[in-house]
Amino acid sequence: MITQVPTICPYCGTGCTVNLIVSDGIIVGTTPNIRSPVNEGKLCPKGTYCYQFVHSPDRLKKPLVRKGDVFIETDWDTAYHIIAENMKIYSPEEIGVLASARCSNEDNYALMKFARGVLKTNNIDHGARQCHASTMTGLTLSFGMGTMTNSIPDIGESDCIFCIGSNTFEQHPLIGRQIIRAKADGGRFIYADPRYTPTAIQADLFLQFYSGSDVAVLNCIMGEIIRNGLENRKFIESRTREYESLKRVVLQSKYTPQEVSILTGVSREDLKTAANWIGTAKRCTVLYAMGLSQQSGGVNNVRAIANLMMLTGNIGRPGTGINALRGQNNVQGACDMGCLSDSFPGYQPVTDSVVHRKISKIWKFPDGIAPPRIGYDILQMFQKAMHPPFGIKAMVLMGENPLVSEPDLSTVEHGIKNLEFLVVSDIFFTKTCEHADVVLPAACYAEKDGTVTNTERRVQRLKKAVDPPGVALPDWQIITNLASHMGYGDQFPYECPADIFNEMTQVCPAYQGITHEKLMNPDGVFWPCPFDEHPGTPVLYKERFYHPDGKGVFCPVEWKPPSELPDSLYPYRLTSGRVIWHWHTGTMTRRSKNLADEVSEAYIEINPADAETAGVTEGDVVIVRSRKGSLSCNVKIASDIKAGMVFMPLLFDTALSRLTGKPSPESGTSEYKSVCVAIKPIISHDGVS
Ligand SMILES: Nc1nc2c(c(=O)[nH]1)N[C@H]1C(S)=C(S)[C@@H](COP(=O)(O)OP(=O)(O)OC[C@H]3O[C@@H](n4cnc5c(=O)[nH]c(N)nc54)[C@H](O)[C@@H]3O)O[C@H]1N2
Ligand SMILES: Nc1nc2c(c(=O)[nH]1)N[C@H]1C(S)=C(S)[C@@H](COP(=O)(O)OP(=O)(O)OC[C@H]3O[C@@H](n4cnc5c(=O)[nH]c(N)nc54)[C@H](O)[C@@H]3O)O[C@H]1N2
Ligand code: SF4
Ligand SMILES: [Mo]
């Protein structure tokens, strides 16, 4: 029998609905869902082929335990017993937990409660730290909250889209479609990026600048808007504070188009045109992603964007706003669920005694929960693991592959090797699993029910299409069973994801009015949805910001050079990112034939002139060396990249993160987008070394 199960694509934060076509318990294909307001009957290649890894023969099927240097298969009870016995050995300060932007809200809520209630620790975090942490910090300072302000369909309503540091057409293709919609209605599209990406092809105005010069460009645009009287005085007066301080900074002579043009490589005319288009638009919207946030000055970049949109009054209406495009399918949800070292669900601070009391009362742990003290974030956990005997000694990881994706890899490697006990739950045996003591087989997206929250804060339902392989279980169920083994069955009475969701809505005010039943509607529900009759909130800040006085706060920022600048030893600026065909550490896309056929090896993209200087040609194998480490890969010559810059995708086990350095102290995010490197040929494409 053939059935069609509509569920949510497991890749990016766009959250498209994909119909999985199931024949006799096997997914044989997909069709795009026509009813979804997000993708309206379209899918990108990853969505189209998102079924191909599900039945891969090397899915994890049974729990594995380490015996010396080998893993042996075991049953669930033995695995739970080993974990429970080991967890008893360590104090709460010695345990770290990583949740997952790849897992459902229910999986993440269960793990968060397990960390705080069973293990009594706030040492819980996840990969969002390397992603939009700068956004959360920056936008919270400006607006009081750190999320995307508007909806995806809303972007198509804009008459000027300013996209900076987001390669939307490759990384959020179905959001890219909204840019085409806006353009078809006469909207203008400004694109700012160091590379001429597939997104740049659509631009009406392309600002190609050196990475790390965003604040200079943004301050220059704001200065021009003010000099030409295009600021929105009414909005500034009625909705914001601290405007005079912004004015003082952006009107300095160092931010005039003439000066900024020299610094960034963008022409004076183009800077002026950008200011004019943004300043005169009726509805201007910003799209941004890792190009802004993955820099040591990421928080300042985000504040500058917030300043620009308040200056022009482009907040709180359809077609306007700041659309900080979330990356992973459920990174928004994992943050909302409180998988952060400093907050309970709904960004309620762990240090707030009223919240602490309220949640303790709902959870009813007889021996209390983690004290109201901020825990370690993901990188602190690995750093602490490097310093036995006082640091982190045991970790539980769900759906994270830090040995490929974390920055400053030598610290992470060292930390993981030092751990006395490591549990990893994944759908495949990853590089990180190699260091585990227990590996748990998880059900993937297509094998479980639950909910996920996409980049627009739209909560949608995941629907089970097929059974998991072997004895694999959904993560929420693994955690529930483990909690029972550890004596907390009463606190984890869940029989299905809806039980968890219902409890979560009592703990998380922004989700309070959402139910699994309401989510039967294919439109989903946007949070905040604080009570039953509430329709949800697609557009934030219509009347007030989330600061207690309701005002948005201008936070002027000065441009600072990136933490490293090229010199004669390391002459190129390396930026890393993604390509449309693959997903991060590649565990899923490299097992999808149609995607792997497109790109199957790591490479470095280099401008033809730089290639000549470096003495390399297409297909050569080169050593790429930074101040932190080195790796080897193939050369791809590309005129799309600015001279002086090189690009690598992060999807292969080349451990690109060997090259990247320490994270920013403000947000914990690393400078992935600008690392200085040297390039040396080792084997030319004709085999001569
Ligand atoms: N196909 C695919 N899609 C994905 C992912 C994937 O792995 N594969 N991952 C998802 C995730 S988790 C995320 S976070 C998003 C990321 O989505 P994006 O942020 O769109 O992707 P990136 O390739 O990391 O970087 C975006 C752009 O930043 C530019 N850039 C580099 N340096 C600078 C700079 O200094 N300033 C500016 N303004 N731009 C700069 C790069 O040239 C690049 O074009 O993608 C999501 N979507
Ligand atoms: N150099 C460089 N490094 C980067 C970046 C960059 O731009 N440059 N970007 C950073 C960013 S933005 C991000 S978001 C991170 C991503 O880094 P990660 O989150 O570590 O990478 P992923 O490959 O998305 O996968 C996490 C793991 O989840 C597993 N998984 C998938 N579904 C499930 C499930 O249902 N249950 C369980 N238990 N496991 C599951 C996958 O098999 C995979 O092993 O990488 C960061 N690292
Ligand atoms: S745009 Fe994102 S959510 Fe939509 S199909 Fe592509 S990868 Fe999946
Ligand atoms: Mo991300």
Side-chain angles (χ1 to χ4, degrees):
M1 195 182 69
I2 293 189
T3 51
Q4 201 162 251
V5 182
T7 192
I8 308 300
C9 169
Y11 290 113
C12 87
T14 306
C16 298
T17 300
V18 51
N19 301 321
L20 300 176
I21 303 169
V22 182
S23 169
D24 296 328
I26 303 285
I27 311 174
V28 294
T30 61
T31 54
N33 186 286
I34 297 168
R35 181 60 190 81
S36 161
V38 175
N39 51 306
E40 296 175 310
K42 305 268 186 303
L43 288 174
C44 82
K46 287 182 302 306
T48 306
Y49 300 115
C50 70
Y51 67 99
Q52 291 185 333
F53 68 84
V54 174
H55 303 295
S56 166
D58 54 351
R59 281 287 301 279
L60 288 168
K61 298 181 195 73
K62 282 188 165 179
L64 304 174
V65 289
R66 175 182 292 283
K67 284 271 179 299
D69 285 342
V70 293
F71 285 96
I72 54 165
E73 289 184 346
T74 189
D75 54 59
W76 278 112
D77 276 346
T78 312
Y80 293 139
H81 182 74
I82 295 172
I83 300 170
E85 287 304 303
N86 272 281
M87 286 300 160
K88 275 188 207 154
I89 303 173
Y90 304 104
S91 68
E93 299 76 45
E94 293 173 331
I95 305 176
V97 177
L98 294 186
S100 177
R102 318 287 296 128
C103 291
S104 69
N105 288 329
E106 292 75 6
D107 296 333
N108 279 295
Y109 178 85
L111 187 64
M112 183 275 311
K113 183 174 175 184
F114 181 81
R116 297 196 158 115
V118 176
L119 303 176
K120 321 280 181 217
T121 184
N122 281 320
N123 296 340
I124 173 157
D125 209 47
H126 70 289
R129 196 66 62 184
Q130 297 315 327
C131 193
H132 267 296
S134 315
T135 297
M136 308 236 288
T137 311
L139 291 187
T140 303
L141 288 163
S142 302
F143 302 154
M145 194 162 75
T147 55
M148 176 159 157
T149 62
N150 287 54
S151 75
I152 291 171
D154 214 286
I155 295 166
E157 307 292 314
S158 176
D159 58 10
C160 177
I161 297 177
F162 179 34
C163 180
I164 176 165
S166 152
N167 181 4
T168 321
F169 282 82
E170 286 200 81
Q171 268 67 262
H172 294 89
L174 269 298
I175 295 183
R177 196 173 148 258
Q178 299 294 340
I179 300 176
I180 303 286
R181 251 189 74 204
K183 280 184 54 143
D185 282 350
R188 285 162 161 163
F189 178 42
I190 308 171
Y191 185 60
D193 198 288
R195 296 162 54 225
Y196 187 75
T197 62
T199 311
I201 297 168
Q202 299 297 333
D204 299 305
L205 177 66
F206 176 39
L207 312 178
Q208 188 171 23
F209 52 75
Y210 291 115
S211 60
S213 48
D214 301 77
V215 166
V217 169
L218 293 167
N219 279 356
C220 172
I221 291 175
M222 285 187 265
E224 273 298 286
I225 287 175
I226 298 171
R227 271 189 288 273
N228 291 305
L230 298 176
E231 75 276 22
N232 186 329
R233 296 228 170 93
K234 191 162 159 238
F235 188 91
I236 295 168
E237 271 159 34
S238 59
R239 304 275 320 261
T240 69
R241 288 193 263 129
E242 314 293 341
Y243 175 55
E244 288 306 316
S245 63
L246 176 85
K247 234 168 125 175
R248 270 196 301 279
V249 170
V250 300
L251 288 176
Q252 295 173 94
S253 57
K254 62 181 172 186
Y255 296 124
T256 54
Q258 192 164 354
E259 296 298 319
V260 169
S261 169
I262 298 166
L263 183 82
T264 60
V266 181
S267 77
R268 270 185 274 177
E269 291 67 36
D270 285 352
L271 288 164
K272 287 181 178 187
T273 307
N276 180 270
W277 287 7
I278 295 170
T280 55
K282 286 200 184 72
R283 293 177 305 277
C284 176
T285 190
V286 161
L287 310 185
Y288 80 83
M290 295 303 104
L292 282 198
S293 74
Q294 283 177 338
Q295 296 184 31
S296 57
V299 174
N300 280 354
N301 292 342
V302 172
R303 283 175 178 161
I305 282 288
N307 291 340
L308 174 65
M309 298 316 267
M310 286 191 288
L311 177 71
T312 50
N314 278 305
I315 299 278
R317 290 177 287 125
T320 69
I322 297 184
N323 296 305
L325 305 179
R326 263 29 181 209
Q328 304 253 42
N329 56 333
N330 198 33
V331 65
Q332 183 63 56
C335 293
D336 299 346
M337 294 304 110
C339 295
L340 297 167
S341 52
D342 56 358
S343 39
F344 283 119
Y347 309 94
Q348 303 172 93
V350 289
T351 47
D352 183 326
S353 55
V354 176
V355 174
H356 194 271
R357 230 172 298 130
K358 178 187 90 177
I359 293 179
S360 303
K361 224 167 138 187
I362 297 171
W363 285 353
K364 299 192 184 73
F365 283 90
D367 46 355
I369 65 170
R373 216 177 29 239
I374 296 174
Y376 297 137
D377 67 30
I378 184 167
L379 266 147
Q380 287 169 329
M381 288 183 211
F382 292 121
Q383 283 160 359
K384 295 282 167 194
M386 278 179 70
H387 301 294
F390 302 112
I392 294 280
K393 293 181 182 163
M395 285 185 79
V396 178
L397 265 64
M398 169 176 90
E400 288 254 332
N401 192 5
L403 274 181
V404 183
S405 60
E406 277 298 294
D408 192 11
L409 200 60
S410 57
T411 302
V412 176
E413 252 170 355
H414 197 141
I416 285 207
K417 282 182 190 156
N418 268 350
L419 291 174
E420 291 172 13
F421 188 67
L422 173 63
V423 183
V424 179
S425 112
D426 207 295
I427 59 175
F428 291 107
F429 192 87
T430 63
K431 250 200 150 41
T432 306
C433 292
E434 288 168 17
H435 299 270
D437 296 282
V438 183
V439 176
L440 304 174
C444 78
Y445 79 101
E447 298 151 354
K448 61 187 169 194
D449 290 311
T451 62
V452 283
T453 306
N454 77 352
T455 183
E456 329 153 85
R457 296 169 282 104
R458 190 193 296 261
V459 186
Q460 306 190 94
R461 276 185 75 161
L462 276 185
K463 295 206 192 78
K464 178 175 170 176
V466 290
D467 288 329
V471 297
L473 288 174
D475 288 282
W476 68 265
Q477 214 167 341
I478 299 175
I479 300 155
T480 299
N481 295 346
L482 182 58
S484 293
H485 264 79
M486 294 176 73
Y488 294 96
D490 288 350
Q491 286 70 35
F492 285 76
Y494 316 126
E495 289 188 354
C496 62
D499 293 343
I500 302 179
F501 193 90
N502 292 341
E503 178 185 309
M504 181 272 293
T505 57
Q506 294 172 49
V507 174
C508 180
Y511 280 66
Q512 207 142 18
I514 311 179
T515 57
H516 258 215
E517 290 68 45
K518 263 195 193 173
L519 296 176
M520 295 297 279
N521 180 339
D523 287 355
V525 180
F526 290 88
W527 72 259
C529 177
F531 50 88
D532 281 355
E533 300 74 32
H534 197 287
T537 317
V539 180
L540 292 179
Y541 316 131
K542 277 188 173 158
E543 271 133 35
R544 40 186 293 123
F545 290 96
Y546 278 29
H547 287 306
D549 64 358
K551 303 273 188 193
V553 184
F554 282 107
C555 308
V557 289
E558 294 277 11
W559 176 77
K560 290 192 201 107
S563 51
E564 267 191 290
L565 285 174
D567 57 22
S568 56
L569 286 178
Y570 300 96
Y572 304 105
R573 283 192 228 203
L574 168 78
T575 177
S576 58
R578 297 141 170 91
V579 291
I580 191 167
W581 311 105
H582 279 286
W583 190 261
H584 296 150
T585 70
T587 56
M588 293 145 85
T589 47
R590 280 188 283 135
R591 289 179 172 91
S592 299
K593 187 178 179 314
N594 293 66
L595 302 173
D597 283 352
E598 294 289 340
V599 176
S600 56
E601 283 180 314
Y603 60 85
I604 186 158
E605 232 176 65
I606 181 166
N607 179 285
D610 289 337
E612 208 177 316
T613 319
V616 297
T617 50
E618 179 88 16
D620 284 359
V621 180
V622 290
I623 296 249
V624 185
R625 193 180 301 283
S626 78
R627 289 185 175 84
K628 291 297 286 185
S630 65
L631 54 79
S632 66
C633 65
N634 295 334
V635 167
K636 190 169 160 187
I637 311 278
S639 48
D640 301 346
I641 190 156
K642 213 169 167 61
M645 293 206 54
V646 288
F647 169 79
M648 274 189 80
L650 76 144
L651 12 123
F652 299 93
D653 289 349
T654 45
L656 177 52
S657 303
R658 280 192 202 297
L659 305 179
T660 53
K662 298 228 177 300
S664 135
E666 247 184 329
S667 64
T669 303
S670 183
E671 184 120 62
Y672 284 124
K673 292 292 184 255
S674 188
V675 182
C676 293
V677 296
I679 297 171
K680 277 226 159 61
I682 42 173
I683 307 174
S684 70
H685 66 286
D686 51 10
V688 183
S689 54

